[in-house]
């Protein structure tokens, strides 16, 4: 314990912590700009904390692999807290993945693997910035929405709606029908472009 307290401050360790801080600032600012749950301060602390744990494991001669495994486990708990369901869809997966990558970047800096860590940082950043418009484009072309129609029961009423869906270039992924007295309810999950949904 005393040997750990009496460790001298090595300039390289300070540089490592500052680099992790800067990486955390850049990644956190992007998440903060998009109003995500894990923002600027959270990602800075994850990056710096992962770097510090790695530095400590190296400086104290502790099994670095065991420390790294514990960091990954701890980050897994943080990531799980970010993911939740909202309006029949799962949100927070990208932010949870960013938390995971940020911890890996911090560990890389702490281990002194600057080149591979900076390359990973650039690649991760490009995936967030460049892939976002592409993701929106794909989603606009292949949106999935749920429709529910209730009407007076008549023979083939809901069949006519399904023919209408096809005329608007919709793909029916799932359909259910329930009849109660003179009322019939149809529920469909349809896939199509955003324009087709709006026209429908």
């Amino acid at each position: 314990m005393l040997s750990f307290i009496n460790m001298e401050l090595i300039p390289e360790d300070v540089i490592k912590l500052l680099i992790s801080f800067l990486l955390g600032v850049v990644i956190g600012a992007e998440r903060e700009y998009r109003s995500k749950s894990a923002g600027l301060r959270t990602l800075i602390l994850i990056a710096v904390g992962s770097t510090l744990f790695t530095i400590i494991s190296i400086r104290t001669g502790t099994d670095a692999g065991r420390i790294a495994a514990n960091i990954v486990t701890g980050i897994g708990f943080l990531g799980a807290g970010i993911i939740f369901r909202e309006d029949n869809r799962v949100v927070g997966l990208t932010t949870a993945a960013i938390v995971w990558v940020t911890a890996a970047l911090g560990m890389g800096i702490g281990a002194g693997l600057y080149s591979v860590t900076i390359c990973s940082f650039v690649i991760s950043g490009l995936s967030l910035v460049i892939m976002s418009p592409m993701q929106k484009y794909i989603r606009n072309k292949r949106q999935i929405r749920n429709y529910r129609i209730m009407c007076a029961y008549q023979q083939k009423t809901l069949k006519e709606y399904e023919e209408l869906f096809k005329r608007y270039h919709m793909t029916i992924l799932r359909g259910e029908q329930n009849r109660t007295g003179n009322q019939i309810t149809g529920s469909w999950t349809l896939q199509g472009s955003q324009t087709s949904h709006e026209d429908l």
Side-chain angles (χ1 to χ4, degrees), residues 47-174:
V48 173
S50 299
T51 300
L52 181 59
F53 275 122
T54 307
I55 291 171
I56 291 171
S57 67
I58 293 170
R59 294 284 303 279
T60 58
T62 310
D63 182 7
R66 185 163 58 83
I67 295 292
N70 288 332
I71 293 173
V72 173
T73 302
I75 291 301
F77 281 109
L78 282 176
I82 295 168
I83 301 168
F84 58 95
R85 288 188 66 86
E86 181 182 88
D87 297 330
N88 294 322
R89 63 192 181 99
V90 178
V91 296
L93 286 171
T94 301
T95 303
I98 289 170
V99 165
W100 183 61
V101 170
T102 303
L105 294 174
M107 291 166 66
I109 295 296
L113 305 173
Y114 301 111
S115 298
V116 69
T117 303
I118 297 302
C119 284
S120 300
F121 170 73
V122 172
I123 292 169
S124 300
L126 289 174
S127 70
L128 288 174
V129 175
I130 294 176
M131 294 299 162
S132 183
M134 185 181 295
Q135 185 181 36
K136 287 180 181 178
Y137 174 79
I138 293 170
R139 284 181 176 175
N140 285 340
K141 290 295 181 183
R142 303 293 289 175
Q143 281 191 4
I144 296 176
R145 296 188 186 181
N146 296 316
Y147 289 81
R148 185 170 179 267
I149 298 173
M150 179 182 289
C151 58
Y153 173 73
Q154 290 178 355
Q155 200 72 17
K156 297 184 178 179
T157 301
L158 298 184
K159 191 70 177 175
E160 292 175 2
Y161 282 114
E162 292 185 353
E163 290 172 0
L164 179 67
F165 299 153
K166 290 174 183 176
R167 285 205 298 273
Y168 281 92
H169 311 291
M170 293 291 183
T171 301
I172 300 173
L173 301 179
R174 188 170 59 87

